[in-house]
Amino acid sequence: MVRVTDSAPLDVDLALLGGGGAASLLLAALDRHDVRDLRIAIVDPVRRRGQDRTWAFWGHPDSDLDPLLSASWQQVEVATAARRRVLDLTPLRYAMLRSGPVYDRAADAERRLDATRIVAPAETVRDDGDRVLVGTGDGRGVRAGWVLDSRPRPPARAGRTTWLQHFRGWWLEADRPVFDPMRAVLMDFRTPQPPRGVSFGYVLPVSDRYALVEYTEFSPDLLTDAGYDAALAGYRDLLGLDPTGLRVREVENGVIPMTDAPFPARPTPRVVRLGTAGGATRPSTGFTFSAMYRQADQVARALAAGRAPVPAPAYPRRHRWMDAVALRALDRGGVGGPEFFDRLFDRNPAERVLRFLDGGTTPAEEVVIMNSTRLWPMIAATAGDAVHRVRDRVRPTRPAPAIPPAVVGSAPTARRGGPPSGEDDVRAR
Ligand SMILES: Cc1cc2nc3c(=O)[nH]c(=O)nc-3n(C[C@H](O)[C@H](O)[C@H](O)COP(=O)(O)OP(=O)(O)OC[C@H]3O[C@@H](n4cnc5c(N)ncnc54)[C@H](O)[C@@H]3O)c2cc1C
């Protein structure tokens, strides 16, 4: 509800609704591309600062992000009960970026761009095709030429498959060298598999004594607080780490949608959605960062050239279709998750799989990738997906469930090895 005040709405060329990951990357890109002559407003009830999440992503070395990285690895491991595979990612590398430096860079960019910050929620958005009127919680409002909206929201309607990527990670500090800083564990499927879904652990070491160790599930439902702690402790034990020699320095919790439901990227002519809200989250993996970065760069380049700030779709349409089929095969039990990912990495160079997951492969490469999965379950999932699409056309649209908040631990408890405690415990979301 817009409150009525005497002051006129703030007039800007560009209003960013939401100032999280997507908007931070966009501010940095606008600064990088020297977009100086735009009036910009950022509307977010929260001013993002510090470490509230860790982004892992792959890409080419020597990008403008390099000075901000906490670590990067040329080699990663994918492990199953049957084997441990070490993948050389050349010419790509896997990288870890903590949110603090990203938010700091965005804050510097915000100052240089002379943007106006409104610390209030955006409540209403009305696009008349020429200007967009945004009602803000402080009652003043913003009138913008374009709105770039990254506020979290559920998809436009229910998907055919609705999963969540949900996880808890511990930043572990060890008394003695226990991690291999030269190598990250990308996916370790030796964790007990849930009845419906896929689970894995991973390890992102920044030194031989300090690493982010996470337990992740791709599945329909969240665990309890105790469930995450038990799963993560189980994974720590699987890694052979002695809990008495470890301290949990920070905790990360998160929930990311994994669904073939639509996230409309341009709901009205002058409103463009970015980030997870705009479809930047890859349905089959939950990875989002690379698409957000790519789209931020496209928007900034377009504005620098005097064009409309509309990025290319986060992923090609055929990739979204392949993801829908893969999610369906995993959900309906046709394909086991560990087996699915193991075969992908077994039968393709790692670089091709990673490019595929970023939406950057050619159709010919995608045929090879699809051929590396088990044929019959994928054919069944493709047929099921086609039938479901037809059914969706004839029956009324079902609303999508809201994306639930992450389960955040309640009572801090004792230190060494056990669940985290006290001031050391930085909880995300
Ligand atoms: C803990 C965590 C770890 C992740 N790790 C990875 C990873 O390793 N790799 C990867 O690719 N992806 C990862 N993701 C997924 C994705 O990259 C992040 O969620 C990313 O931050 C998404 O950016 P966003 O801008 O879409 O949303 P957010 O960063 O969540 O930003 C949304 C912003 O909107 C604001 N907002 C909410 N309501 C309003 C309102 N009414 N008006 C104005 N503003 C509002 C919020 O305060 C917030 O600042 C992770 C996600 C989480 C939660």
Side-chain angles (χ1 to χ4, degrees), residues 232-244:
L232 196 41
Y235 182 52
R236 175 201 59 203
D237 296 347
L238 199 65
L239 291 170
L241 296 171
D242 173 7
T244 61

Side-chain angles (χ1 to χ4, degrees), residues 84-407:
R84 274 177 113 87
R85 195 189 310 283
V86 177
L87 306 171
D88 187 337
L89 303 185
T90 311
L92 304 178
R93 53 107 166 86
Y94 199 48
M96 178 211 274
L97 180 56
R98 303 210 64 196
S99 55
V102 174
Y103 297 151
D104 287 348
R105 179 179 275 186
D108 286 347
E110 192 176 322
R111 267 192 301 280
R112 278 197 286 273
L113 295 163
D114 202 18
T116 305
R117 171 66 72 153
I118 297 174
V119 185
E123 293 175 339
T124 54
V125 177
R126 205 162 349 111
D127 181 353
D128 68 11
D130 190 34
R131 309 284 291 167
V132 188
L133 187 62
V134 179
T136 55
D138 63 356
R140 179 166 182 201
V142 177
R143 190 180 294 114
W146 286 91
V147 158
L148 300 176
D149 188 354
S150 57
R151 290 171 298 161
R153 66 173 55 244
R157 57 173 167 73
R160 293 178 292 284
T161 308
T162 301
W163 272 18
L164 300 165
Q165 178 183 147
H166 50 109
F167 50 89
R168 174 165 294 175
W170 288 340
W171 277 97
L172 291 179
E173 184 183 43
D175 288 344
R176 55 182 190 82
V178 289
F179 302 112
D180 177 357
M182 302 306 290
R183 197 185 279 179
V185 177
L186 182 70
M187 290 176 150
D188 185 342
F189 293 104
R190 293 174 302 152
T191 48
Q193 294 301 306
R196 185 175 166 206
V198 187
S199 84
F200 59 93
Y202 67 78
V203 183
L204 304 180
V206 295
S207 75
D208 57 9
R209 290 167 196 244
Y210 203 55
L212 176 61
V213 176
E214 283 209 11
Y215 173 82
T216 301
E217 274 192 21
F218 297 171
S219 63
D221 300 306
L222 304 186
L223 304 184
T224 59
D225 177 36
Y228 286 111
D229 275 346
L232 196 41
Y235 182 52
R236 175 201 59 203
D237 296 347
L238 199 65
L239 291 170
L241 296 171
D242 173 7
T244 61
L246 295 171
R247 279 170 303 283
V248 181
R249 305 299 304 182
E250 297 174 42
V251 185
E252 277 203 27
N253 299 290
V255 178
I256 305 173
M258 297 179 74
T259 176
D260 53 7
F263 288 87
R266 197 165 172 193
T268 61
R270 287 185 167 269
V271 176
V272 172
R273 292 211 186 116
L274 295 177
T276 297
T281 298
R282 179 94 202 207
S284 60
T285 62
F287 278 109
T288 312
F289 184 85
S290 299
M292 290 198 303
Y293 181 81
R294 202 163 49 234
Q295 290 194 315
D297 202 65
Q298 291 166 354
V299 168
R301 278 177 196 278
L303 287 167
R307 288 184 278 111
V310 183
Y315 304 102
R317 184 189 283 265
R318 60 178 194 285
H319 279 244
R320 281 184 278 126
W321 169 75
M322 286 186 285
D323 273 19
V325 170
L327 265 183
R328 187 181 189 89
L330 291 166
D331 183 49
R332 307 321 193 256
V335 173
E339 182 204 0
F340 177 79
F341 287 102
D342 188 44
R343 284 176 74 114
L344 275 189
F345 284 109
D346 189 41
R347 295 168 188 218
N348 297 279
E351 182 268 344
R352 184 192 295 154
V353 177
L354 297 186
R355 237 173 348 97
F356 169 70
L357 295 176
D358 272 345
T361 36
T362 62
E365 288 176 310
E366 285 147 26
V367 171
V368 177
I369 286 177
M370 289 307 264
N371 275 339
S372 50
T373 60
R374 281 205 297 122
L375 198 58
W376 286 110
M378 291 313 257
I379 290 174
T382 305
D385 183 67
V387 170
H388 206 145
R389 277 171 200 262
V390 172
R391 264 206 332 250
D392 276 353
R393 290 224 176 106
V394 296
R395 68 182 175 191
T397 305
R398 285 168 304 133
I403 299 157
V407 175

